[in-house]
Amino acid sequence: MSDEFQDRDFSDARFGTRAIHAGQRPDPTTGAIMTPVYQTSTYVQPELGRDLGYEYARSQNPTREAYEGNVAALEGGKHGIAFASGLAAIDTMTKLLSAGDHVVSGEGIYGGSYRLFDQVIRRLGIDFTFVDSGDPEKIREAVRPETKLIHLETPTNPMMRLTDLSAAVETAREAGALLSVDNTFATPYNQRPLELGADIVIHSATKYINGHSDMVGGMVVVSDDELHERLRFLQNAAGAIPGPWDCWLALRGTKTLHLRMEAHNRNGQRIAEWLEEQSGVERVFYPGLPSFPQHELATRQMSGFTGMISIELGSKERAKAVVEKVRVFSLAESLGGVESLIGHPAMMTHAAVPEQTRREMGLSDGLVRLSCGVEDVEDLIEDLDRALG
Ligand code: P1T
C-alpha cells in the first residue's frame, strides 16, 4: 500500500470519532475517502513468491480489514475477526476447543446459539453446562477442571438478565478458562466487556453494528495477540468469511453507531417507562427501569440500555393479538435496525430452546420482545397503545 496514507491512530479518540475513522484510510490508488468494496476473489502476484500483502480473498480483503479494525476499536480491543454471520463467529470460536473440553454457557442466550452448542458442538465431544449466568455462584459451581470456556450474553436475549462481568472475569481467571461475551444486545456504545477483563467479544453484526437490516454478519474481537492468531488461523482454515459488500454495509453502519444508539437508548427508556404504566402489561423487562431487579448492576457496567424491551402479556392469545395489531412495529425476527420490530420469542427466536428450559428462564408464551427503532417515539407509543388496547 502507498506510503502517503499511513494508518492514523485513533486509539485516544472518543467513541464517535473512532466510529467514523478507526480502521480506515484513504484508498492508496485514488485517495477515495470511503474504503472501496474490493470485489475480488484473488490478487495478482508480480512475481513468484512475492505478493502485495494479499493472496486470496478468503485470507485477506481490504474492505474486511477496515471493518474489522473499526469494530475492534469500538470495543476497545486490538483485533477484529469478521464472519459470515453471528453464528459463524460463535461456531469458529468453539473451534478453539477440542474433544473432552467443557464449556459453561449462560442458559439465557439466543436460541440459535443454544441450538449450535446443544445439537451440533456437543456431538463433537465438547460438553456444555447451561446455567443462569445472572447468578455468579451458578457459573462458579458449574466450572470443572476441563472447563476451557465460559460464554454468556449480557443482557440476555430475550429476558434481559444481566451477568456481573467483573465477577465472571474473576471466575474465568480462577478456572484458567476463556471468557467470551456476546455483546450484540448492549453494543460497544453501552458496554465494553474487554475493558472489564473479558477475553473475547462476539457480535451478531446483523443487529446494531450494521443497524439497517440489510446484511447478515458476525464479529469476534480480542486484545490478546496469541488468541488473535489462533482465531485468524481458524477464520481462514474454516472459511466462514463475509463478502466484501456485507463488510462495506456494516462499516457504513458503524459510522453512525453512536448517533443511533443515543436514539435507541432514548426511545427504549421512554417506551419502557410508558409500558410500565399500562394495566395490560404484567411485567416489563428493561435494565434501565429503576424497578428492574438488576438495575444497580446495569448502571454499574452499562452506560445506556438500548431499544430492546421484553414484556409479559400473560397469555399466548394476548401476545398474538398484540404482535398482529401493531402497524409501525413489524412482526419479524432480528433486532437492532433503525426500524422497530416486534417478536414472539417462544415461537420465533427461541423455538429451538427446550420448553422446560424456556420455562425455567421465565420465557413464557405470553412474552413479547420489542426492538425499538429510531422512529419518532410518539408514533411508537401510539402504535403500542392501539395494539394493547
Ligand atoms: O443471526 P446471526 O447473525 O447468525 O447471529 C446470531 C445471534 C447471536 N447472538 C445474539 C445475541 C443474537 O441475538 C443472534 C441472532 N438473533 C436473532 C436473529 C434474534 O432475532 O434474536
Side-chain angles (χ1 to χ4, degrees):
M1 289 264 175
S2 158
D3 286 334
E4 289 180 60
F5 301 121
Q6 284 306 305
D7 281 333
R8 288 178 289 173
D9 181 12
F10 289 100
S11 52
D12 289 336
R14 290 163 185 81
F15 193 92
T17 308
R18 273 185 276 151
I20 291 164
H21 294 289
Q24 297 151 84
R25 59 176 165 181
D27 180 52
T29 47
T30 63
I33 192 163
M34 288 301 144
T35 306
V37 182
Y38 282 88
Q39 191 74 40
T40 188
S41 62
T42 193
Y43 307 89
V44 178
Q45 308 186 4
E47 57 186 277
L48 188 61
R50 184 167 72 88
D51 57 57
L52 305 183
Y54 297 88
E55 301 159 274
Y56 182 60
R58 171 164 30 76
S59 317
Q60 309 101 355
N61 180 287
T63 318
R64 194 174 84 205
E65 284 168 5
Y67 161 50
E68 289 174 335
N70 183 260
V71 179
L74 295 182
E75 281 290 355
K78 241 170 111 180
H79 310 282
I81 307 115
F83 293 93
S85 68
L87 283 182
I90 298 170
D91 181 53
T92 302
M93 173 186 69
T94 61
K95 293 186 174 110
L96 291 167
L97 307 172
S98 303
D101 289 347
H102 173 249
V103 180
V104 178
S105 169
E107 65 186 5
I109 54 175
Y110 168 57
S113 309
Y114 190 98
R115 178 180 56 198
L116 172 68
F117 289 164
D118 191 44
Q119 297 184 43
V120 182
I121 308 296
R122 206 196 271 281
R123 276 199 286 107
L124 310 180
I126 295 165
D127 201 10
F128 287 83
T129 305
F130 294 97
V131 299
D132 170 13
S133 59
D135 180 348
E137 262 325 291
K138 293 261 164 61
I139 303 179
R140 201 178 290 270
E141 283 164 12
V143 168
R144 302 183 199 157
E146 61 275 21
T147 303
K148 294 284 166 52
L149 176 71
I150 297 175
H151 175 79
L152 50 92
E153 287 175 18
T154 178
T156 59
N157 179 359
M159 302 310 299
M160 312 295 160
R161 192 139 162 83
L162 306 186
T163 300
D164 183 329
L165 283 172
S166 300
V169 165
E170 201 177 302
T171 304
R173 292 226 170 113
E174 276 167 21
L178 293 169
L179 175 66
S180 65
V181 178
D182 185 329
N183 208 29
T184 300
F185 263 45
T187 81
Y189 186 69
N190 291 320
Q191 172 176 279
R192 286 181 294 282
L194 294 177
E195 292 178 358
L196 298 176
D199 300 290
I200 299 173
V201 159
I202 302 269
H203 278 281
S204 169
T206 319
K207 312 296 168 9
Y208 285 115
I209 292 287
N210 165 270
H212 296 76
S213 306
D214 52 14
M215 53 77 79
V216 170
M219 185 68 80
V220 176
V221 183
V222 299
S223 284
D224 182 77
D225 293 334
E226 197 258 340
L227 187 55
H228 167 237
E229 260 175 51
R230 287 164 68 201
L231 286 161
R232 187 67 71 189
F233 169 81
L234 289 169
Q235 179 195 39
N236 185 51
I241 51 146
W245 263 111
D246 286 345
C247 295
W248 189 89
L249 285 166
L251 184 59
R252 160 174 273 208
T254 57
K255 287 183 191 294
T256 55
L257 184 65
H258 53 307
L259 306 177
R260 286 186 284 109
M261 291 320 298
E262 274 299 317
H264 284 295
N265 289 349
R266 199 169 50 237
N267 282 1
Q269 186 73 35
R270 176 85 190 276
I271 292 169
E273 286 169 8
W274 178 84
L275 284 164
E276 221 180 13
E277 305 284 294
Q278 307 310 306
S279 56
V281 178
E282 294 184 5
R283 265 189 86 179
V284 181
F285 300 88
Y286 187 73
L289 290 175
S291 62
F292 185 74
Q294 296 172 297
H295 180 65
E296 189 274 323
L297 174 60
T299 55
R300 221 179 330 131
Q301 66 185 28
M302 303 175 77
S303 57
F305 310 106
T306 85
M308 297 306 298
I309 306 171
S310 289
I311 51 177
E312 176 56 56
L313 296 177
S315 71
K316 186 170 168 179
E317 292 64 38
R318 184 139 166 77
K320 178 174 157 64
V322 170
V323 301
E324 290 177 355
K325 263 198 209 150
V326 284
R327 291 289 169 264
V328 183
F329 281 83
S330 300
L331 176 59
E333 307 254 354
S334 204
L335 61 108
V338 289
E339 69 294 320
S340 295
L341 300 181
I342 194 165
H344 184 260
M347 281 180 67
M348 296 168 70
T349 50
H350 290 70
V353 178
E355 201 182 330
Q356 177 67 19
T357 310
R358 283 206 306 263
R359 216 171 276 141
E360 282 164 14
M361 292 190 298
L363 200 170
S364 75
D365 288 348
L367 193 84
V368 164
R369 191 187 76 178
L370 307 174
S371 171
C372 300
V374 301
E375 299 95 336
D376 291 296
V377 73
E378 293 80 7
D379 289 324
L380 298 178
I381 289 176
E382 279 169 26
D383 193 37
L384 291 170
D385 196 23
R386 211 164 31 230
L388 287 164

